[in-house]
């Protein structure tokens, strides 16, 4: 076990673990939220134990997880639906009525699928849902695939709704909850299916929250004063997964043609790999830079966002907060796959490459034009998968409510609007005119690297983080 102390289920359900690494107070555990927090822990455990691995190319199975959350949400007169887009590719959706029928509805979305995990690589079995002490921080944590991406949030939202049912509470707005399949691949069997086939279920939704923010990022000022940042996703780079294709004359390896497809493709791949994309700062990223710089007391100059070099230098001064900004100041295109030929003495007539492109809001034309130039006349390119970039307002009442919910439960919080480097189902739900934010609140102790846990080995979530998230979600959803 590598000196990891495994706790029994009764330990996880009975102990109240104090927040030992922060300055904000532990919530009063005599109220109903103690029960909601422990409910979130147990629901997360049970979800982890339901293997919903998405292997890609249509191979996945979310049915057991979807049925479990549907049963968990069958409280207070709610009647969740389980909708299959294909055999075993299941989605759960329910509308929680609000007290104000004239208020616009709010979407809360999360995904039930997880990426693969190989038990031989893990300290504890990835689908056992065991509670043990974290080897880095000593905090009791729940281990398993999906612990932070994102069965924890699915469980927290479910625990909040069950808390409402126990105490006769209701949100002001209708809350539409959609727990979906296939986010870890193309969304075809999940969010895309619901938007295409069941758009009526989202009638009235104007804003939405999902994954992509709300977790604690510990940083320090130049004077070494600790600062807690909470990123909230307000934009996402678009996905441009490309197929590059070069054609040439097939033949014998001893008589090489002048139009070798592999050579043409290789030159294009090298040009793409070495290209320095121009700076493109979106309004969200500029707001993020300003907020982080102020929180960390980083001195600014008028020129520090004028060039690639200046921005990279500024962002480097943000320390542990730099990853919130670094990947989103320009477009990117990363060669990821190469395929050609079937025998060493045969010149192939075709060569194919895969490129993972990420495109910032407002920079799609720039991306397409640049790919035309980098691939050249010999190589063609097309989208294997395309989802556009999205952005939501950071001066909206919704964002203000997100900030307040975090600040109310951590008075030292600095809430930072960010553009996500990757993508979520927000890109799909935005097609319905819903302004989507990344908000899955989770307290993290200092020393635990949240980003390395996403899709990583030994994925784990602090029990206190789950309890914190339940309170914050309730505060926002009923605001």
């Amino acid at each position: 076990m590598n000196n990891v102390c495994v706790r029994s289920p009764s330990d996880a359900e009975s102990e109240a673990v104090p927040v030992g690494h922060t300055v904000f107070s532990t919530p009063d555990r005599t109220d109903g939220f103690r029960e909601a927090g422990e409910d979130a822990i147990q629901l997360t455990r049970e979800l982890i134990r339901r293997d919903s691995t998405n292997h890609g190319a249509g191979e996945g199975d979310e049915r057991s997880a979807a049925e479990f959350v549907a049963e968990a949400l069958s409280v207070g007169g709610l009647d969740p639906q389980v909708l299959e887009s294909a055999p075993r590719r299941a989605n759960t959706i329910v509308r929680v009525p609000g007290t104000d029928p004239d208020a616009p509805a709010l979407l809360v979305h999360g995904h039930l699928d997880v990426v693969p995990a190989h038990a031989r690589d893990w300290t504890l079995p990835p689908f056992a849902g065991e509670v043990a002490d974290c080897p880095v921080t000593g905090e009791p944590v729940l281990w398993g695939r999906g612990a932070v991406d994102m069965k924890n949030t699915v469980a927290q939202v479910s625990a909040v709704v069950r808390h409402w049912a126990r105490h006769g509470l209701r949100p002001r707005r209708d809350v539409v909850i959609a727990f979906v399949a296939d986010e870890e691949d193309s969304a075809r069997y999940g969010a895309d299916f619901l938007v295409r086939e069941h758009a009526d279920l989202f009638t009235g939704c104007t804003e939405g929250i999902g994954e992509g923010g709300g977790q604690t990022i510990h940083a320090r000022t130049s004077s070494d004063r600790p600062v807690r940042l909470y990123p909230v996703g307000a934009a996402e780079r678009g996905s441009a997964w490309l197929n590059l294709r070069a054609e040439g004359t097939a033949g014998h390896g001893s008589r090489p043609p002048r139009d070798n497809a592999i050579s043409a493709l290789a030159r294009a791949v090298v040009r793409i790999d070495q290209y320095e994309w121009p700076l493109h700062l979106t309004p969200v990223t500029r707001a993020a830079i300003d907020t982080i710089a102020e929180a960390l007391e980083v001195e600014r100059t008028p020129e520090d966002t004028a060039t690639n070099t200046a921005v990279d230098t500024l962002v480097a001064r943000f320390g542990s907060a730099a990853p919130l900004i670094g990947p989103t100041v320009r477009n990117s295109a990363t060669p990821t796959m190469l395929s050609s030929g079937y025998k060493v003495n045969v010149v192939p007539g075709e060569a194919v490459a895969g490129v993972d492109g990420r495109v910032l809001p407002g920079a799609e034309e720039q991306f397409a034009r640049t790919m035309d130039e980098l691939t050249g006349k010999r190589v063609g390119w097309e989208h294997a998968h395309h989802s556009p970039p999205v952005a939501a307002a950071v001066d909206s009442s919704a964002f203000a409510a997100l900030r307040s919910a975090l600040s109310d439960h951590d008075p030292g919080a600095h809430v930072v609007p960010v553009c996500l480097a990757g993508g979520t189902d927000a890109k799909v739900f935005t097609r319905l005119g819903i302004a989507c934010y990344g908000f899955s609140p989770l307290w993290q102790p200092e020393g635990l690297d949240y980003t390395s846990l996403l899709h990583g080995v030994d994925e784990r979530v602090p029990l206190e983080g789950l309890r914190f998230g339940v309170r914050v979600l309730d505060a926002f959803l009923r605001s």
Side-chain angles (χ1 to χ4, degrees), residues 46-95:
E46 292 301 324
L47 280 168
I48 288 171
R49 291 167 178 166
R50 287 158 172 79
D51 185 351
S52 54
T53 300
N54 188 339
H55 297 280
E59 184 182 347
D61 184 347
E62 297 88 359
R63 181 79 198 192
S64 178
E67 290 177 342
F68 176 78
V69 292
E71 181 178 357
L73 290 169
S74 296
V75 292
L78 300 180
D79 186 20
Q81 300 181 61
V82 176
L83 302 172
E84 280 196 340
S85 53
R88 309 296 300 179
R89 307 309 303 269
N91 307 270
T92 298
I93 189 164
V94 65
R95 181 180 287 255

Coordinates of all heavy atoms in Angstrom, one line a residue, residues 46-95:
E46 N -19.8 5.6 -4.1 CA -20.6 4.7 -4.9 C -20.5 4.9 -6.4 O -20.5 4.0 -7.2 CB -22.1 4.7 -4.5 CG -22.3 4.2 -3.0 CD -21.9 2.8 -2.9 OE1 -22.1 2.0 -3.8 OE2 -21.4 2.4 -1.8
L47 N -20.4 6.2 -6.8 CA -20.2 6.5 -8.2 C -18.9 5.9 -8.8 O -18.8 5.4 -9.9 CB -20.3 8.0 -8.5 CG -21.8 8.5 -8.5 CD1 -21.7 10.0 -8.5 CD2 -22.5 8.0 -9.8
I48 N -17.8 6.1 -8.0 CA -16.5 5.6 -8.4 C -16.5 4.1 -8.6 O -15.9 3.5 -9.5 CB -15.4 6.0 -7.3 CG1 -15.1 7.5 -7.4 CG2 -14.1 5.2 -7.5 CD1 -14.3 8.0 -6.3
R49 N -17.3 3.4 -7.7 CA -17.4 1.9 -7.8 C -18.2 1.5 -9.0 O -18.1 0.3 -9.4 CB -18.0 1.4 -6.5 CG -17.1 1.6 -5.3 CD -17.9 1.3 -4.0 NE -17.0 1.4 -2.9 CZ -17.4 1.5 -1.6 NH1 -18.7 1.6 -1.3 NH2 -16.5 1.6 -0.6
R50 N -18.9 2.4 -9.7 CA -19.6 2.0 -10.9 C -18.7 2.4 -12.1 O -18.7 3.6 -12.5 CB -21.0 2.7 -10.9 CG -21.9 2.0 -10.0 CD -23.1 2.9 -9.6 NE -24.1 2.2 -8.8 CZ -23.9 1.9 -7.5 NH1 -22.9 2.3 -6.8 NH2 -24.9 1.1 -6.9
D51 N -18.0 1.5 -12.6 CA -17.0 1.8 -13.7 C -17.7 2.3 -14.9 O -18.5 1.5 -15.6 CB -16.2 0.5 -14.0 CG -15.1 0.7 -15.0 OD1 -15.0 1.8 -15.6 OD2 -14.3 -0.3 -15.2
S52 N -17.5 3.5 -15.3 CA -18.1 4.1 -16.4 C -17.0 4.6 -17.4 O -17.1 5.7 -17.9 CB -19.0 5.3 -16.0 OG -18.3 6.2 -15.2
T53 N -16.0 3.8 -17.6 CA -14.9 4.2 -18.4 C -15.3 4.4 -19.9 O -16.0 3.6 -20.5 CB -13.8 3.1 -18.4 OG1 -13.3 2.9 -17.1 CG2 -12.6 3.4 -19.3
N54 N -14.8 5.5 -20.4 CA -15.1 5.9 -21.8 C -13.8 5.6 -22.6 O -12.8 6.3 -22.4 CB -15.4 7.3 -21.9 CG -15.9 7.7 -23.3 OD1 -15.6 7.1 -24.3 ND2 -16.6 8.9 -23.4
H55 N -13.8 4.5 -23.4 CA -12.6 4.1 -24.2 C -12.5 4.9 -25.5 O -11.6 4.7 -26.3 CB -12.6 2.6 -24.4 CG -12.6 1.8 -23.2 ND1 -11.4 1.6 -22.5 CD2 -13.5 1.2 -22.5 CE1 -11.6 0.9 -21.4 NE2 -12.9 0.6 -21.4
G56 N -13.5 5.7 -25.8 CA -13.5 6.4 -27.1 C -14.1 5.6 -28.2 O -14.4 4.4 -28.1
A57 N -14.3 6.3 -29.4 CA -14.8 5.6 -30.6 C -16.1 4.9 -30.3 O -16.4 3.8 -30.9 CB -13.8 4.6 -31.1
G58 N -16.9 5.5 -29.4 CA -18.2 4.9 -29.1 C -18.3 3.8 -28.1 O -19.4 3.4 -27.8
E59 N -17.1 3.5 -27.6 CA -17.1 2.4 -26.6 C -17.1 2.9 -25.2 O -16.1 3.5 -24.7 CB -15.8 1.5 -26.8 CG -15.7 0.3 -25.9 CD -14.5 -0.5 -26.0 OE1 -13.7 -0.2 -27.0 OE2 -14.2 -1.3 -25.2
G60 N -18.2 2.8 -24.5 CA -18.4 3.3 -23.2 C -19.7 2.8 -22.6 O -20.5 2.2 -23.3
D61 N -19.8 2.9 -21.3 CA -21.0 2.4 -20.6 C -21.2 3.2 -19.3 O -20.6 3.0 -18.3 CB -20.8 0.9 -20.2 CG -22.0 0.3 -19.6 OD1 -22.9 1.0 -19.2 OD2 -22.0 -1.0 -19.5
E62 N -22.2 4.2 -19.4 CA -22.5 5.0 -18.3 C -23.8 4.6 -17.6 O -24.3 5.3 -16.7 CB -22.6 6.5 -18.7 CG -21.4 7.1 -19.2 CD -21.2 6.9 -20.7 OE1 -22.0 6.2 -21.4 OE2 -20.2 7.4 -21.3
R63 N -24.4 3.5 -18.0 CA -25.8 3.2 -17.6 C -25.9 3.0 -16.1 O -26.8 3.5 -15.4 CB -26.2 1.9 -18.3 CG -27.7 1.4 -17.9 CD -28.7 2.2 -18.7 NE -30.0 2.1 -18.0 CZ -31.2 2.5 -18.6 NH1 -31.2 3.0 -19.8 NH2 -32.3 2.4 -17.9
S64 N -25.0 2.2 -15.5 CA -25.1 2.0 -14.0 C -24.9 3.3 -13.3 O -25.7 3.5 -12.3 CB -24.0 1.0 -13.6 OG -24.0 0.8 -12.2
A65 N -24.0 4.1 -13.7 CA -23.9 5.4 -13.0 C -25.1 6.3 -13.1 O -25.6 7.0 -12.2 CB -22.6 6.1 -13.5
A66 N -25.7 6.3 -14.4 CA -26.8 7.1 -14.6 C -28.0 6.6 -13.8 O -28.8 7.5 -13.2 CB -27.2 7.1 -16.1
E67 N -28.2 5.3 -13.7 CA -29.3 4.8 -12.9 C -29.1 5.1 -11.4 O -30.1 5.4 -10.7 CB -29.4 3.3 -13.1 CG -29.9 2.9 -14.5 CD -30.0 1.4 -14.7 OE1 -29.3 0.7 -14.0 OE2 -30.6 1.0 -15.7
F68 N -27.9 5.1 -11.0 CA -27.6 5.3 -9.5 C -27.9 6.8 -9.2 O -28.6 7.0 -8.2 CB -26.1 5.1 -9.2 CG -25.7 5.4 -7.8 CD1 -26.1 4.6 -6.8 CD2 -25.1 6.6 -7.6 CE1 -25.7 4.9 -5.5 CE2 -24.7 7.0 -6.3 CZ -25.1 6.1 -5.2
V69 N -27.5 7.8 -10.0 CA -27.8 9.2 -9.7 C -29.3 9.4 -9.9 O -29.9 10.3 -9.2 CB -27.0 10.1 -10.5 CG1 -25.5 10.1 -10.1 CG2 -27.1 9.9 -12.0
A70 N -30.0 8.7 -10.8 CA -31.4 8.9 -11.0 C -32.1 8.5 -9.7 O -33.1 9.2 -9.2 CB -31.9 8.1 -12.2
E71 N -31.7 7.4 -9.1 CA -32.3 6.9 -7.9 C -32.0 7.9 -6.7 O -32.8 8.2 -5.9 CB -31.8 5.5 -7.5 CG -32.4 5.0 -6.2 CD -31.9 3.6 -5.9 OE1 -31.1 3.0 -6.7 OE2 -32.2 3.0 -4.9
A72 N -30.7 8.4 -6.7 CA -30.4 9.4 -5.6 C -31.2 10.6 -5.7 O -31.5 11.3 -4.7 CB -28.9 9.7 -5.7
L73 N -31.5 11.0 -6.9 CA -32.3 12.3 -7.1 C -33.8 12.1 -7.1 O -34.5 13.1 -7.2 CB -31.9 12.9 -8.5 CG -30.5 13.5 -8.6 CD1 -30.1 13.8 -10.0 CD2 -30.3 14.7 -7.7
S74 N -34.2 10.9 -6.9 CA -35.7 10.6 -6.8 C -36.2 11.0 -5.4 O -36.6 10.1 -4.6 CB -36.0 9.2 -7.1 OG -35.6 8.9 -8.5
V75 N -36.1 12.2 -5.0 CA -36.5 12.7 -3.7 C -37.4 13.9 -3.9 O -37.4 14.6 -4.9 CB -35.2 13.1 -2.9 CG1 -34.4 11.9 -2.5 CG2 -34.4 14.1 -3.6
G76 N -38.2 14.2 -2.8 CA -39.0 15.4 -2.8 C -39.9 15.5 -4.0 O -40.2 16.6 -4.5
G77 N -40.4 14.4 -4.5 CA -41.3 14.4 -5.7 C -40.6 14.5 -7.0 O -41.3 14.6 -8.1
L78 N -39.3 14.5 -7.1 CA -38.6 14.6 -8.4 C -38.7 13.3 -9.1 O -38.7 12.2 -8.5 CB -37.1 15.0 -8.2 CG -36.9 16.4 -7.5 CD1 -35.4 16.6 -7.3 CD2 -37.6 17.5 -8.3
D79 N -38.7 13.4 -10.4 CA -38.8 12.2 -11.3 C -37.7 12.2 -12.4 O -38.0 12.6 -13.5 CB -40.2 12.0 -11.8 CG -40.4 10.7 -12.6 OD1 -39.6 9.8 -12.3 OD2 -41.3 10.7 -13.4
P80 N -36.5 11.9 -12.1 CA -35.4 12.0 -13.1 C -35.7 11.0 -14.2 O -36.2 9.9 -14.1 CB -34.2 11.6 -12.3 CG -34.5 11.7 -10.9 CD -36.0 11.4 -10.8
Q81 N -35.2 11.4 -15.4 CA -35.3 10.6 -16.6 C -33.9 10.1 -16.9 O -32.9 10.8 -16.8 CB -35.8 11.4 -17.8 CG -37.1 12.0 -17.7 CD -37.5 12.7 -19.0 OE1 -37.6 12.1 -20.1 NE2 -37.7 14.0 -18.8
V82 N -33.8 8.8 -17.3 CA -32.6 8.2 -17.9 C -32.8 8.0 -19.4 O -33.7 7.3 -19.8 CB -32.3 6.9 -17.2 CG1 -31.0 6.3 -17.8 CG2 -32.0 7.1 -15.7
L83 N -32.0 8.7 -20.1 CA -32.2 8.7 -21.6 C -30.9 8.1 -22.2 O -29.8 8.6 -22.1 CB -32.4 10.2 -22.1 CG -33.6 10.9 -21.6 CD1 -33.6 12.4 -22.0 CD2 -34.9 10.2 -22.0
E84 N -31.1 7.1 -23.0 CA -30.0 6.4 -23.7 C -29.9 6.9 -25.1 O -30.9 7.0 -25.9 CB -30.2 4.9 -23.7 CG -29.8 4.2 -22.4 CD -29.6 2.7 -22.6 OE1 -30.1 2.2 -23.6 OE2 -28.9 2.1 -21.8
S85 N -28.7 7.3 -25.5 CA -28.5 7.7 -26.9 C -28.0 6.5 -27.8 O -28.1 6.5 -29.0 CB -27.4 8.8 -27.0 OG -26.2 8.3 -26.3
A86 N -27.6 5.5 -27.1 CA -27.2 4.2 -27.7 C -27.2 3.2 -26.6 O -27.2 3.6 -25.4 CB -25.8 4.3 -28.4
P87 N -27.2 1.9 -26.9 CA -27.2 0.9 -25.8 C -26.1 1.2 -24.7 O -24.9 1.3 -25.1 CB -26.9 -0.4 -26.5 CG -27.5 -0.2 -27.8 CD -27.2 1.2 -28.2
R88 N -26.5 1.4 -23.5 CA -25.7 1.6 -22.3 C -25.0 3.0 -22.2 O -24.4 3.3 -21.3 CB -24.5 0.6 -22.2 CG -25.0 -0.9 -22.3 CD -25.8 -1.3 -21.1 NE -25.2 -1.2 -19.8 CZ -25.8 -1.4 -18.7 NH1 -27.0 -1.8 -18.7 NH2 -25.1 -1.3 -17.5
R89 N -25.3 3.9 -23.3 CA -24.7 5.2 -23.2 C -25.9 6.1 -22.7 O -26.7 6.6 -23.4 CB -24.3 5.7 -24.6 CG -23.3 4.8 -25.3 CD -22.1 4.4 -24.5 NE -21.3 5.5 -24.0 CZ -20.3 6.1 -24.6 NH1 -20.0 5.7 -25.8 NH2 -19.6 7.1 -24.1
A90 N -25.9 6.3 -21.3 CA -27.0 6.8 -20.6 C -26.8 8.2 -20.0 O -25.6 8.5 -19.6 CB -27.5 5.9 -19.5
N91 N -27.8 9.0 -20.0 CA -27.8 10.3 -19.4 C -29.0 10.5 -18.5 O -30.1 9.9 -18.7 CB -28.0 11.4 -20.5 CG -27.0 11.2 -21.7 OD1 -25.9 11.8 -21.6 ND2 -27.3 10.4 -22.7
T92 N -28.7 11.2 -17.4 CA -29.8 11.4 -16.4 C -30.1 12.9 -16.3 O -29.2 13.8 -16.2 CB -29.3 11.0 -15.0 OG1 -29.1 9.5 -15.0 CG2 -30.4 11.3 -13.9
I93 N -31.4 13.3 -16.4 CA -31.8 14.7 -16.4 C -33.0 14.8 -15.5 O -33.9 14.0 -15.5 CB -32.0 15.2 -17.8 CG1 -32.2 16.7 -17.8 CG2 -33.1 14.5 -18.5 CD1 -32.0 17.3 -19.2
V94 N -33.1 16.0 -14.8 CA -34.2 16.3 -13.9 C -34.3 17.8 -13.8 O -33.3 18.5 -13.8 CB -34.1 15.6 -12.6 CG1 -32.9 16.1 -11.8 CG2 -35.4 15.7 -11.8
R95 N -35.5 18.3 -13.6 CA -35.8 19.7 -13.4 C -36.3 19.9 -12.0 O -37.3 19.3 -11.6 CB -36.8 20.3 -14.4 CG -37.0 21.8 -14.2 CD -38.0 22.3 -15.2 NE -37.4 22.4 -16.5 CZ -37.1 23.6 -17.1 NH1 -37.2 24.7 -16.5 NH2 -36.6 23.6 -18.3

